[in-house]
């Protein structure tokens, strides 16, 4: 078989050679010796040129007529803007009728309030109220303009200097709302192509900032330093270009989704080893941790210069509103033009800035309020250690005391329903106000839900005993 | 040491093209465009030269970054360092009083050529033509301030809690009902900051399979909210209902990118008054188009609520649009009501959905009670429910003052943007060098104006923006006009022929 094919091929080849060597092929035109292969090549070129001059084949595309577009538009039906409203969506939170201090009035009854993050008990403080009133009378309520266009009032600049002095950093910058601080700071420093390593339990503000920054985001297990180390190792080992791009670790000092405290000394060690920068959100630890309330760095004894960017919302310990960001001069200066929440928004109302200054002054003059807060947290821990069905899941020093279900029902939704039953009964029957976790549909955090208690330095021992007894009683009824 | 290493990376070229309708509106001539261009090129060339020299001088300095990438790469803030810093003293001027008709501007001086500015203790009393104080509530008001102080004593300065936890007080509920009644919608929800309102509501309404069609001149908060939602964003030409219709038709036919499945929903976002131009949006036409194509309308009335319309109810009242036709109305309390915060007014179901799922309602600290009380009192004054007709008088005064100011400026020969009845107007300066000259010369004569350039406006269309307030008296306006006329003449901003004064002609 093979030899027959070979014979056919040799025969064909001989035939071709004969044609090539035909006498016609020996013609000489214009002094050029025409060989047979020249004829074939000329023919090939002619065919190619012929094909190039043909129009390329496109399948005929009929554009839609106006009538057809009209019909399509008629047919299209949008979804409603809101999903179907269920009964649980109609639930309204309790309405306060007085200041949200350690005791407040709901529905005409006085209740013990463990739902406001009033850690230092500064809500209703006389000195702060006085400074607010004098500020209101001088400056009015709003500042009527962004910081760049006559919205910078001298109290803002004073507040920035005061906070920087208190924290021990060169400068700080004030934002007009707590949650907008972190989601404006992150996109100002992280752009497309940068790497951000972030804890999976961060709150929505941080998640939004990460999304807006368009950087590469890598999550590590909640508060797990081994997971952080392995993530950092993997990122720097694989990426040879890692030196040239900016790399950040984003953590919260006290996580509001779980009450855990980030081990800053470990994080700083890892940051220096792998050359990352740290962005620390101290919303719940500013004015709480450390001997004088300067936050996580003071608590761990880490020099403040080692943390590159610190942000905090002032709506918790300082009992006002707004937020600040502090760091080196370069960090703060850069935000004045490129942080969208600072440039494109009206500035903080001046009376809130004066309240912040008074609160910081109070904290510096009365560090005993921190010891009071700490002893209240200890007392609460002791009281809550034997609640049937609930276990404490937060750090012993965290002012957010987080109670988780010992045995989950299986889904977050039903867990939350059960916890809401407990909090409603505790409020109605024992006049104690506590809250459960609230999760938005847009929130990516998957940490377990629980009951949150916010301890304040203004709570008395009786208040703490009351909440423990009440929880013990209701949990026994509902959970067992 | 190649030349490439030596040269600093050049800054990104910003988009320069100005659409034809905008060019016609702002009277941009070729000569102006060329000279402005030339100015920019000169500044950029000098900036690059200075960066080069700095790089040479720092070549031998030790690198104290130790293996980190620089936190702000040099080309990212080229514009800040080399162009903005030269005119830094015109922005961020601190004041030492309320943002009323007259303010105390704090003087600053600099030792290093305007790179850093230090406050002094001197202030100068200036006419305030820059703050958003449309109805004059910025300073103390005899109805609002006593009530605000009372609410501070009763509810303290904050709530330390999110609305969904323990941050809802009776004041918040009262404000929401009042806002809903004022705007003409069934229900409303309030937030502590206008910027956060836009950035967290839009993702709660439209998800990844939706389409957002937004005006090209929309505010940064809307752009951020649209990006955060994950939906596809299409932009239509500023205030052009015909282009909006084109975009809608094309997009409904095309469907989602990739699979071409139909869009789940379409949201069209427009603003009531565009704050850089001072013009109203063409709301009746846009609402008609959206009704025809079943798209939802989101109206951002940050600057127009309380400032326009016969009873202050915003552009819907002014242009004769029924509030029921606009699906979502957003506004802020910062500008006309002298407070802080934002609101959304819509149907009951949408508000319930937002209260349940919107992150700002669930996580962010609720609005400070004194600010809530200020908003309540201000709205009551506007509605006339405080027992006087001060609200109606304020509205009439701001309308008269804005129209008077604008017509006088036009008579002087300035190119002025802004529709009739709008309290915001812009004087076109175009050239980058005229901006600081105008601003500093006005300040020397005790008039405080706001200048805006790139990136808040297109590159070639820098301007000075004036905001009129109901607390400006006729004398204040006349003084302002006198100073602006003088300075504008010196600077060369009077591009159009001035109308000859008729009184002089009679002689």
């Amino acid at each position: 078989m093979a030899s027959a094919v070979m014979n056919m091929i040799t025969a064909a080849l001989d035939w071709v050679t004969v044609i090539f060597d035909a006498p016609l092929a020996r013609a000489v035109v214009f002094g050029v010796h025409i060989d047979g292969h020249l004829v074939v090549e000329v023919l090939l070129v002619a065919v190619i040129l012929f094909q190039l001059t043909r129009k390329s084949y496109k399948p005929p595309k009929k554009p839609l007529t106006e009538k057809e577009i009209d019909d399509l538009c008629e047919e299209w039906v949008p979804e409603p803007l809101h999903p179907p409203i269920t009964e649980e969506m109609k639930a309204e939170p309790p309405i306060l009728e007085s200041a949200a201090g350690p005791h407040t009035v709901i529905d005409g009854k006085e209740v013990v309030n463990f739902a406001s993050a009033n850690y230092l008990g500064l809500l209703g403080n006389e000195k702060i109220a006085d400074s607010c009133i004098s500020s209101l009378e001088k400056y009015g309520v709003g500042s009527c303009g962004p910081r760049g266009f006559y919205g910078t009032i001298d109290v803002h600049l004073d507040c920035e200097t005061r906070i920087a002095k208190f924290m021990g950093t060169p400068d700080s910058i004030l934002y007009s709302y707590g949650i907008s601080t972190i989601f404006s700071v992150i996109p100002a420093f992280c752009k497309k192509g940068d790497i951000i390593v972030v804890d999976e339990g961060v709150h929505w503000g941080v998640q939004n900032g990460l999304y807006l920054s368009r950087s590469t985001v890598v999550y590590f297990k909640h508060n797990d330093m081994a997971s952080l180390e392995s993530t950092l190792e993997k990122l720097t080992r694989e990426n040879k270009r890692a030196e040239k791009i900016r790399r950040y670790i984003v953590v919260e000092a006290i996580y509001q989704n779980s009450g855990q405290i980030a081990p800053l000394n470990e994080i700083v060690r890892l940051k220096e080893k792998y050359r990352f920068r740290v962005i620390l959100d101290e919303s719940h630890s500013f004015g709480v941790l450390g001997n004088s309330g300067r936050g996580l760095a003071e608590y761990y004894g880490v020099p403040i210069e080692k943390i590159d960017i610190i942000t905090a919302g002032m709506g918790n310990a300082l009992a006002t509103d707004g937020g600040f960001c502090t760091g080196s001069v370069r960090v703060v200066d850069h935000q004045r033009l490129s942080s969208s929440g600072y440039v494109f928004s009206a500035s903080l109302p001046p009376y809130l800035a004066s309240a912040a200054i008074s609160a910081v002054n109070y904290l510096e003059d009365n560090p005993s309020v921190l010891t009071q807060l700490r002893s209240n947290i200890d007392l609460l821990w002791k009281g809550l250690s034997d609640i049937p069905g609930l276990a404490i899941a937060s750090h012993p020093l965290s002012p957010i005391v987080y109670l988780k279900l010992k045995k989950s029902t299986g889904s977050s939704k039903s867990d939350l329903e059960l916890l809401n039953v407990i909090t409603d009964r505790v409020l109605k029957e024992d006049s104690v106000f506590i809250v459960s976790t609230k999760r938005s549909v847009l929130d990516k955090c998957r940490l377990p839900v629980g009951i949150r208690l916010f301890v304040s330095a203004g709570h008395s021992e009786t208040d703490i005993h009351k909440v423990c007894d009440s929880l013990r009683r209701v949990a026994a009824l509902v959970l067992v | 040491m190649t030349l490439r290493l030596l040269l600093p990376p050049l800054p990104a070229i910003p988009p320069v093209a100005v659409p034809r309708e905008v060019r016609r509106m702002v009277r941009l001539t070729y000569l102006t465009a060329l000279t402005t261009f030339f100015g920019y090129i000169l500044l950029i060339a000098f900036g690059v030269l200075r960066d080069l020299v700095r790089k040479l001088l720092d070549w031998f300095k030790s690198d104290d970054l130790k293996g980190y990438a620089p936190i702000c790469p040099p080309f990212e803030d080229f514009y800040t360092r080399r162009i903005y810093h030269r005119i830094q003293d015109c922005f961020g001027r601190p004041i030492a009083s309320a943002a009323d008709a007259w303010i105390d501007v704090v003087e600053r001086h600099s030792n290093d050529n305007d790179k850093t500015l230090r406050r002094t203790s001197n202030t100068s009393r200036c006419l305030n033509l820059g703050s958003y104080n449309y109805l004059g509530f910025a300073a103390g008001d005899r109805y609002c301030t006593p009530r605000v102080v009372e609410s501070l004593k009763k509810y303290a300065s904050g709530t330390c809690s999110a609305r969904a936890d323990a941050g809802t007080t009776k004041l918040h509920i009262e404000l929401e009902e009042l806002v809903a009644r004022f705007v003409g919608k069934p229900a409303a929800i309030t937030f502590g900051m206008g910027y956060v309102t836009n950035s967290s509501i839009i993702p709660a309404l439209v998800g990844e399979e939706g389409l957002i069609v937004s005006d090209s001149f929309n505010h940064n908060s809307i752009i951020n909210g649209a990006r955060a939602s994950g939906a596809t964003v299409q932009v239509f030409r500023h205030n052009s209902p015909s282009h909006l219709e084109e975009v809608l038709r094309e997009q409904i036919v095309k469907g989602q990118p990739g699979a071409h499945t139909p869009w789940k929903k379409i949201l069209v976002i427009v603003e009531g008054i565009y704050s850089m131009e001072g013009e109203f949006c063409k709301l009746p036409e846009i609402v008609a188009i959206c009704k025809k194509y079943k798209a939802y309308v989101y109206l951002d009335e940050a600057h127009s609520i309380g400032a326009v319309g016969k009873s202050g109810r915003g552009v819907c009242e002014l242009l004769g649009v029924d509030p029921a036709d606009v699906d979502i109305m957003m506004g802020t309390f910062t500008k006309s009501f002298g407070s802080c915060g934002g609101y959304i007014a819509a149907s009951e179901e949408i508000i319930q959905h937002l209260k349940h799922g919107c992150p700002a309602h669930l996580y962010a600290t609720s609005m400070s009670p004194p600010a809530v009380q200020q908003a309540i009192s201000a709205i009551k004054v506007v509605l006339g429910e405080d027992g006087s007709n001060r609200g109606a008088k304020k509205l009439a005064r701001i309308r008269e003052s804005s129209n008077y100011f604008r017509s006088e400026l036009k008579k002087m020969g300035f190119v002025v943007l802004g529709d009739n009845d709008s309290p915001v107007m812009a004087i076109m300066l175009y050239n980058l060098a005229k901006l600081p000259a105008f601003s500093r010369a006005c300040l020397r004569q005790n008039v405080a104006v706001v200048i805006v350039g790139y990136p808040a406006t297109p590159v070639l269309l820098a301007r000075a923006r004036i905001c009129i307030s109901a607390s400006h008296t006729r004398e204040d306006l006349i003084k302002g006009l006198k100073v602006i006329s003088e300075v504008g003449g010196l600077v060369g901003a009077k591009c159009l022929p001035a109308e000859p004064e008729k009184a002089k002609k009679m002689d």
Side-chain angles (χ1 to χ4, degrees), chain B residues 89-382:
Chain B
D89 63 310
C90 301
F91 300 101
R93 290 186 179 141
I95 64 178
S97 66
D100 203 11
W102 285 85
I103 48 176
D104 292 324
V105 177
V106 174
E107 285 167 19
R108 301 183 287 177
H109 80 267
S110 165
N111 289 335
D112 51 1
N113 240 347
D114 276 355
K115 218 162 136 198
T116 52
L117 292 156
R118 302 230 174 280
R119 275 193 284 171
T120 63
S121 46
N122 297 337
T123 60
S124 51
R125 195 123 182 96
C126 299
L127 176 67
N128 181 6
L129 290 177
S131 293
Y132 305 136
N133 179 23
Y134 302 135
L135 292 181
F137 284 114
D141 181 83
R142 62 172 183 268
Y143 178 79
C144 300
T145 311
R147 284 169 177 74
V148 169
V149 173
E150 214 183 283
S151 76
L152 175 71
K153 293 193 178 123
K154 183 169 181 204
Y155 288 99
S157 58
T159 56
C160 292
S161 181
R163 278 294 297 276
D165 290 340
T168 308
T169 62
K170 272 174 94 168
L171 284 179
H172 292 94
I173 304 289
E174 193 187 334
L175 177 62
E176 288 178 356
E177 287 170 359
L178 190 58
V179 162
R181 191 158 54 91
F182 182 64
V183 161
K185 292 294 255 180
I189 179 176
T190 55
F191 299 92
M193 181 181 172
Y195 188 95
V196 164
T197 311
N198 272 332
S199 325
S200 65
I201 289 293
I202 299 178
L205 292 172
V206 183
E208 281 175 354
E209 298 183 8
L211 172 70
I212 294 180
V213 186
S214 106
D215 189 294
S216 55
F217 283 13
N218 269 343
H219 189 251
N220 184 276
S221 56
I222 297 176
I223 298 177
N224 263 350
R227 279 209 288 135
S229 68
T232 315
V233 180
Q234 287 287 332
V235 168
F236 71 94
R237 271 201 304 268
H238 173 59
N239 234 357
S240 159
S242 53
H243 191 229
L244 170 65
E245 182 161 13
E246 253 179 65
V247 170
L248 281 174
R249 284 168 77 86
E250 187 191 327
Q251 287 299 323
I252 294 181
V253 163
K254 221 163 53 169
Q256 294 182 37
H260 295 294
T261 42
W263 297 107
K264 287 246 169 91
K265 40 189 130 152
I266 301 186
L267 185 66
V268 175
I269 307 184
V270 289
E271 287 188 36
I273 293 186
Y274 290 94
S275 58
M276 287 298 153
E277 287 76 31
E279 52 178 31
F280 300 117
C281 92
K282 297 197 173 111
L283 197 59
E285 292 92 342
I286 291 181
V287 164
I289 292 177
C290 290
K291 256 194 178 154
K292 182 171 161 202
Y293 292 95
K294 293 177 258 173
Y296 299 111
V297 181
Y298 182 108
L299 177 64
D300 177 336
E301 290 212 81
H303 285 266
S304 52
I305 191 72
V308 296
K310 210 157 87 111
S311 59
R313 286 181 157 86
V315 277
C316 285
E317 188 181 17
L318 184 75
L319 300 175
V321 173
D322 185 7
D325 287 338
V326 178
D327 299 283
I328 300 174
M329 299 174 71
M330 179 261 176
T332 60
F333 302 117
T334 330
K335 280 99 187 173
S336 308
F337 304 116
S339 172
C340 68
Y343 69 84
I344 297 267
S347 67
E348 291 260 5
E349 291 84 21
I350 297 181
I351 298 294
Q352 254 160 12
H353 162 63
L354 291 175
K355 280 189 171 163
H356 176 74
C358 171
H361 187 81
L362 298 175
Y363 301 131
T365 321
S366 66
M367 214 161 133
S368 166
V372 179
Q373 180 61 50
Q374 165 75 19
I376 293 176
S377 312
I379 296 181
K380 285 203 171 137
V381 170
V382 171

